[in-house]
Amino acid sequence: MKIESSNLETVAVRTSQYPLDQKKEFLLCGRSNVGKSSFINSLLGRKNYAHTSSKPGKTQTLNFYLVNNNFYLVDVPGYGYATVSKEQQRKFGLMIEDYIKTRVNLKCVFLLVDFRHKPDKNDVLMYNFLKYYEIPTVIIATKYDKVKDKDRVKNEKLLKETLQVLDQDKIVLFSSVTKKGKEEVYSIIESYLENN
């Protein structure tokens, strides 16, 4: 896949603001410091397009990035941030839940998990939520380059066991630094674009 164009097309906080053009959508979710912005920038081949921040919880809306005028990458607020009030967290949660449960254009969720650490309870909750609604999910193990060679097999095993990953759900080992996993993600998106 070649990225010819990308544009932050729509910023939404409610269903009525979602795009109406029926293009296929791929949701990106994960903890607020997991590297979602770096993942988006890496996929789109643009530096600092999605804003990376040292302050977690920066994204507070559903951001629809139109790619190649063909499909959307949808970035949602990260979960598990301590700096955001409980009420705000609850609103984010409802906004994401509403999108996942009702959006027919949603083809696949990329669940980003930090490969350096054991998935936390929020990661497990999110994955179980996606399984419950039978949403096709790809687990993106971010920051792969920051894990020593000798720890990589152990960390992957821990990831699979903690989340109890289903056989049909892929795990992509990803690094926005080395671009490892990027082509694999492109292939996954292409397979959904080719099939109705």
Side-chain angles (χ1 to χ4, degrees), residues 36-183:
K36 272 194 297 122
S37 297
S38 298
F39 178 71
I40 294 168
N41 290 333
S42 179
L43 284 190
L44 300 182
R46 295 175 71 162
K47 276 188 182 155
N48 303 321
Y49 187 51
H51 185 64
T52 53
S53 171
S54 55
K55 219 172 137 192
K58 196 83 180 149
T59 304
Q60 304 203 353
T61 51
L62 270 72
N63 296 335
F64 291 78
Y65 293 89
L66 179 60
V67 183
N68 290 353
N69 213 21
N70 190 20
F71 66 92
Y72 289 99
L73 290 178
V74 185
D75 185 23
V76 298
Y79 51 75
Y81 26 69
T83 54
V84 177
S85 72
K86 284 272 187 284
E87 177 57 19
Q88 195 64 38
Q89 285 187 45
R90 193 184 69 80
K91 281 183 181 161
F92 289 169
L94 289 171
M95 187 167 70
I96 296 164
E97 189 176 333
D98 187 51
Y99 172 84
I100 288 169
K101 280 162 47 178
T102 62
R103 193 67 171 160
V104 292
N105 312 43
L106 175 61
K107 296 302 164 192
C108 172
V109 172
F110 293 113
L111 175 59
L112 278 66
V113 178
D114 191 329
F115 192 57
R116 298 171 302 175
H117 311 295
K118 178 182 176 180
D120 73 5
K121 66 177 194 307
N122 290 311
D123 296 321
V124 175
L125 273 171
M126 190 70 206
Y127 184 60
N128 287 339
F129 176 77
L130 295 168
K131 282 196 288 193
Y132 179 80
Y133 286 102
E134 298 180 343
I135 309 286
T137 304
V138 175
I139 292 149
I140 306 290
T142 63
K143 309 185 185 186
Y144 178 81
D145 57 288
K146 292 183 168 64
V147 176
K148 293 188 177 112
D149 283 356
K150 67 179 179 63
D151 294 327
R152 286 172 175 170
V153 172
K154 178 189 70 160
N155 285 27
E156 189 171 355
K157 187 167 181 272
L158 188 63
L159 173 68
K160 284 179 180 166
E161 286 173 356
T162 308
L163 293 180
Q164 297 181 356
V165 179
L166 298 175
D167 290 343
Q168 69 263 30
D169 290 341
K170 270 195 170 85
I171 294 175
V172 175
L173 304 171
F174 192 88
S175 164
S176 56
V177 176
T178 67
K179 306 297 180 259
K180 177 180 174 60
K182 183 174 164 178
E183 291 301 325

